[in-house]
Amino acid sequence: AQSVTQPDIHITVSEGASLELRCNYSYGATPYLFWYVQSPGQGLQLLLKYFSGDTLVQGIKGFEAEFKRSQSSFNLRKPSVHWSDAAEYFCAVDSYSSASKIIFGSGTRLSIRP
Amino acid sequence: DAGVIQSPRHEVTEMGQEVTLRCKPISGHDYLFWYRQTMMRGLELLIYFNNNVPIDDSGMPEDRFSAKMPNASFSTLKIQPSEPRDSAVYFCASSQGQPNTEAFFGQGTRLTVV
């Protein structure tokens, strides 16, 4: 069965600093990968997704992620964070074998230091 | 389209009472997912439907939980009887279920069982 691991529960970075959030997945084939963001009291919003092709994908709000098959990773990055980026970030995988089934990681809470 | 619509946004109920959460997916989406979010367990997939048919309900915690999708535009998640440990935010999401699409989430229903 597929699974998603986000090893960092909580990360604090200074405003303007770079950011990398880690995500590892477990699945036999190439899964479909997503990053979602959740602001307090809100639902989840898609940041970016990877299905095939270029392993570096660009998303909204200046985020990007790189798919590395050899490491089973799909880390999220941003060169310079803004205070408004403070939120919870979820990595997700859809195996799409016989049917679509989206599984989420446990999330990483991002705090921004002024 | 207005997106995925969930109701109510907030629900407070007494232990032992029946609770029904409602979801209207995005028109044209073939998949509907119910998730539960808690601090302890993160985002858990409870059940999902494809073309109104339940595909996988292995995430439903107990027989007290049931979900239905009588038609393509409506789904319910029912808890009977409710218990304090059911307190959580319940999200509904829908997708086209195709390899190049993502899930769209509702705003969630915050359930408190006292």
Side-chain angles (χ1 to χ4, degrees), chain B:
Chain B
D1 200 309
V4 176
I5 299 173
Q6 291 186 247
S7 64
R9 288 295 308 276
H10 302 274
E11 177 80 40
V12 180
T13 190
E14 291 185 346
M15 182 174 62
Q17 296 298 307
E18 178 181 295
V19 176
T20 299
L21 311 181
R22 297 173 176 79
C23 175
K24 181 180 187 307
I26 293 173
S27 177
H29 282 191
D30 298 330
Y31 282 80
L32 184 140
F33 306 84
W34 281 102
Y35 291 89
R36 178 173 66 176
Q37 185 178 37
T38 61
M39 289 291 291
M40 293 298 296
R41 302 175 68 90
L43 264 170
E44 302 173 275
L45 177 62
L46 300 178
I47 184 172
Y48 70 103
F49 296 82
N50 179 22
N51 292 322
N52 313 335
V53 176
I55 302 300
D56 185 347
D57 64 354
S58 59
M60 297 285 262
E62 299 172 32
D63 292 343
R64 298 184 295 108
F65 286 70
S66 62
K68 294 181 180 179
M69 193 165 185
N71 56 63
S73 59
F74 184 65
S75 177
T76 59
L77 178 67
K78 184 179 294 186
I79 308 173
Q80 166 62 18
S82 58
E83 296 182 4
R85 59 194 169 117
D86 301 331
S87 298
V89 180
Y90 292 81
F91 287 102
C92 176
S94 70
S95 79
Q96 291 179 307
Q98 299 301 314
N100 60 345
T101 61
E102 69 273 15
F104 292 81
F105 281 76
Q107 294 282 69
T109 295
R110 181 174 294 277
L111 173 65
T112 303
V113 183
V114 298

Side-chain angles (χ1 to χ4, degrees), chain A residues 36 38 49 51 96 100-102, chain B residues 35 48 56 97 99 102-103:
Chain A
Y36 283 83
Q38 184 183 30
K49 58 189 178 185
F51 294 113
Y96 203 78
S100 180
K101 182 176 181 178
I102 303 173
Chain B
Y35 291 89
Y48 70 103
D56 185 347
E102 69 273 15

